Amino acid sequence: MSSPAITVTLEDAAKYALDLMKEKDVNGTPVVDSNGKLEGMVVKADIYRFLIEPGHIGDCPIDWVMSNDVVSIAPDETVYSANRKLRDKKVTSVPVVEDGVVVGVVSFEDLLDYYLDREC
């Protein structure tokens, strides 16, 4: 798990989220409210698809491009469970949520590193 999670808020613009993801070298980020509660998830591909449409601009609100139906995991879930959720939902990262608050993110890269470190 990567912690603390790199997050954006509903007040942030899509271009800001994209710039942040590029700067932090991540493909997606949870969207949270002012208390850190999960509101959605946004990934680079969603923003790129949105911005290539004529008339769409980077300063649009993040909720125009985020997914509301977000799969998440709890901090005590197993690596297998995280793998299964990524694979079943065909996503590249999942927020780790404890008591409704995002405490981290597990990405495909995190899981790959886990297995590479163990030489499985």
Side-chain angles (χ1 to χ4, degrees):
M1 170 175 82
S2 300
S3 182
I6 297 161
T7 62
V8 294
T9 68
L10 290 171
E11 290 76 34
D12 292 323
K15 177 77 167 80
Y16 169 79
L18 185 59
D19 290 343
L20 180 65
M21 285 186 269
K22 285 180 182 177
E23 174 189 330
K24 300 297 184 177
D25 195 29
V26 297
N27 289 318
T29 181
V31 180
V32 298
D33 68 11
S34 60
N35 296 314
K37 182 180 174 233
L38 183 63
E39 295 287 334
M41 186 78 178
V42 65
V43 296
K44 285 180 184 177
D46 292 337
I47 297 172
Y48 290 143
R49 277 192 293 274
F50 177 81
L51 291 178
I52 63 170
E53 292 294 321
H56 289 181
I57 54 174
D59 61 353
C60 72
I62 200 70
D63 63 343
W64 289 12
V65 293
M66 74 179 197
S67 299
N68 292 312
D69 184 21
V70 180
V71 60
S72 63
I73 62 173
D76 61 350
E77 285 192 52
T78 65
V79 172
Y80 177 83
S81 176
N83 272 316
R84 181 66 17 219
K85 286 184 179 181
L86 284 169
R87 183 71 175 133
D88 289 349
K89 298 297 182 177
K90 298 180 180 162
V91 295
T92 58
S93 58
V94 292
V96 180
V97 178
E98 184 171 35
D99 298 324
V101 175
V102 175
V103 296
V105 173
V106 172
S107 69
F108 172 78
E109 291 85 1
D110 292 328
L111 294 171
L112 187 57
D113 288 343
Y114 173 84
Y115 288 112
L116 289 173
D117 288 346
R118 280 145 189 82
E119 297 184 30
C120 296

